[in-house]
C-alpha cells in the first residue's frame, strides 16, 4: 500500500507545480544522481548508474506507471547492481526501484524527506495519526506480527529507512480513511482526478511476475488491464476499478475501488496465506469477478474457492 499513497502524494506535488510528469528526473538535480554520497544504507546509492545509458530518460510518469525499466529491486539483478533493463516507457515492469528513484529525486529537489512530505500532503490532512513511512517508538506496544504459511512469526523489521515503495506502517482505520478520501475525491482537484483515473500503460503480460511477465496474452483485454499512477486500473460493468496489492513477508493486502458506484473493499492480512482468500472475499463482498486473479498469481485455497460466473 506504500506505493498507492505515494502516487497520490506525487500528484499533489504536480498540482502545486513542483514537478512535471514528463520532464526527465535527472534534469531536476544540479549534479548527476550517481555522484551523490549515499545518505542511507543502500536505497539512494546510484553509483552503478554512471555507465547506464538509459536511466536519464526516466520521468515521474514512468516511475509511477512501472515503466521506468528498473527491476523490482536491485538485488534481483546479477551482481545486485542497479541498472535499467528495458527501454524506459516501453512496457510495464513492476519496480519498487522506480518509486524509490522518484522519491530520492524529490527529496533532493525539495529538501524534505519522504516522511515529512507524506505527513504534510496526505497523513495529517486526513487525520491518519497512526501512519508513517518509518517506524515510530509509539508503535512498540501496538503492532501485529506477520506470519509464515506454517504459522510462524516473521521478525518485525523496525529499522527500515523511509522508502516510497515498501515501508509504510498503517492501521486498518487509517488506510480506510485514505481509501475513502480517494473514493470521495477529497485529495485531488477535478482535473487531477481525471488524470489519476486515466490508464498510462496497457498491460499485455500473462502474469505480473516471473517468466510469463514477458509473454503477452489477450486474456485480460476484456477488462483493459492497465496501470496508472501507482494503482492498477481495470474496466468493469461497475465502471473503472482502481486497485493496489501488497505482497511482503507475512503481510498480504489488496484494495479495489469502483468510484462510479461508490463502492470498494480493503483486505489486510498478516499471513503469507492471505492471498488465498481474496477471490472468495471479493466475490462475497463486491461481486467482483473482474480483478485479474491469474495475472496477480493468486492461488485460492480449495476450501474457500467459490466458482464465479463469467457474466
Amino acid at each position: 500500500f506504500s506505493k498507492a499513497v505515494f502516487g497520490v502524494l506525487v500528484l499533489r506535488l504536480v498540482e502545486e507545480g513542483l514537478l512535471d510528469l514528463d520532464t526527465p528526473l535527472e534534469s531536476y538535480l544540479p549534479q548527476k544522481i550517481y555522484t551523490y554520497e549515499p545518505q542511507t544504507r543502500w536505497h539512494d546509492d546510484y553509483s552503478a548508474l554512471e555507465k547506464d545509458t538509459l536511466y536519464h530518460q526516466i520521468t515521474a510518469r514512468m516511475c509511477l506507471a512501472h515503466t521506468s525499466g528498473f527491476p523490482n529491486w536491485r538485488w534481483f539483478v546479477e551482481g545486485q547492481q542497479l541498472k535499467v533493463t528495458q527501454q524506459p516507457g516501453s512496457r510495464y515492469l513492476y519496480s519498487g526501484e522506480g518509486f524509490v528513484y522518484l522519491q530520492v529525486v524529490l527529496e533532493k529537489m525539495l529538501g524534505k524527506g519522504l516522511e515529512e512530505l507524506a505527513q504534510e500532503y496526505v497523513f495529517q490532512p486526513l487525520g491518519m495519526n497512526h501512519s508513517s513511512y518509518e517506524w515510530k517508538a509509539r508503535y512498540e506496544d501496538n503492532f501485529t506480527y506477520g506470519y509464515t504459511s506454517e504459522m510462524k512469526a516473521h521478525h518485525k523489521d523496525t529499522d527500515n529507512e523511509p522508502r516510497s515503495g515498501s515501508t509504510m506502517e498503517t492501521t486498518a482505520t487509517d488506510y480506510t480513511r485514505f481509501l475513502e478520501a480517494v473514493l470521495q475525491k477529497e485529495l485531488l482537484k477535478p482535473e487531477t482526478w481525471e488524470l489519476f483515473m486515466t490508464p498510462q500503460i496497457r498491460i499485455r503480460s500473462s502474469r505480473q511476475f516471473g517468466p510469463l511477465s514477458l509473454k503477452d496474452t489477450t486474456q485480460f483485454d476484456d477488462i483493459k488491464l492497465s496501470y496508472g499512477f501507482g494503482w492498477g486500473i481495470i474496466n468493469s460493468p461497475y465502471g473503472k476499478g482502481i486497485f493496489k496489492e501488497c505482497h511482503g513477508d507475512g503481510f498480504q493486502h489488496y484494495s479495489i475501488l469502483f468510484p462510479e458506484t461508490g463502492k470498494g473493499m480493503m483486505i489486510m492480512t498478516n499471513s503469507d496465506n492471505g492471498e488465498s482468500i481474496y477471490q472468495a472475499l471479493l466475490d462475497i463482498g463486491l461481486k467482483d469477478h473482474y480483478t485479474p486473479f491469474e495475472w496477480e498469481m493468486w492461488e485460492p485455497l480449495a476450501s474457500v474457492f467459490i466458482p464465479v460466473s463469467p457474466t
Side-chain angles (χ1 to χ4, degrees), residues 69-200:
F70 281 134
N72 192 8
W73 297 110
R74 63 191 68 187
W75 49 81
F76 296 143
V77 178
E78 185 177 358
Q80 299 188 351
Q81 295 293 304
L82 182 63
K83 65 179 180 179
V84 179
T85 60
Q86 66 179 30
Q87 179 64 40
S90 64
R91 183 183 176 91
Y92 177 87
L93 177 66
Y94 194 89
S95 176
E97 291 282 1
F99 275 68
V100 173
Y101 175 60
L102 173 55
Q103 167 199 337
V104 172
V105 171
L106 288 173
E107 290 177 329
K108 294 185 183 306
M109 282 171 53
L110 303 176
K112 297 180 179 180
L114 171 63
E115 176 65 10
E116 183 178 357
L117 291 168
Q119 291 292 344
E120 179 181 350
Y121 284 93
V122 181
F123 297 151
Q124 291 180 8
L126 295 180
M128 296 172 65
N129 299 321
H130 302 285
S131 297
S132 171
Y133 277 93
E134 63 186 9
W135 182 260
K136 305 288 189 183
R138 55 191 168 88
Y139 299 161
E140 289 290 344
D141 297 322
N142 185 31
F143 74 91
T144 298
Y145 283 103
Y147 287 83
T148 69
S149 56
E150 290 79 31
M151 296 298 293
K152 295 180 180 179
H154 282 282
H155 168 72
K156 176 58 182 173
D157 48 352
T158 61
D159 61 346
N160 285 326
E161 293 149 316
R163 289 192 296 275
S164 56
S166 58
T167 67
M168 187 177 72
E169 304 282 349
T170 192
T171 65
T173 298
D174 269 18
Y175 201 73
T176 296
R177 181 72 192 96
F178 172 71
L179 292 179
E180 289 174 343
V182 173
L183 197 60
Q184 296 165 13
K185 309 177 187 179
E186 290 183 27
L187 287 168
L188 301 174
K189 296 177 181 177
E191 59 271 23
T192 312
W193 171 262
E194 292 303 318
L195 176 64
F196 175 67
M197 291 296 296
T198 301
Q200 300 300 303

Side-chain angles (χ1 to χ4, degrees), residues 177-230:
R177 181 72 192 96
F178 172 71
L179 292 179
E180 289 174 343
V182 173
L183 197 60
Q184 296 165 13
K185 309 177 187 179
E186 290 183 27
L187 287 168
L188 301 174
K189 296 177 181 177
E191 59 271 23
T192 312
W193 171 262
E194 292 303 318
L195 176 64
F196 175 67
M197 291 296 296
T198 301
Q200 300 300 303
I201 185 74
R202 272 293 298 275
I203 297 174
R204 310 283 183 183
S205 58
S206 296
R207 298 293 183 268
Q208 185 169 201
F209 299 109
L212 290 179
S213 68
L214 301 176
K215 182 179 179 180
D216 287 350
T217 182
T218 60
Q219 182 179 1
F220 309 110
D221 283 2
D222 287 349
I223 60 171
K224 295 183 179 178
L225 179 61
S226 306
Y227 226 83
F229 296 98

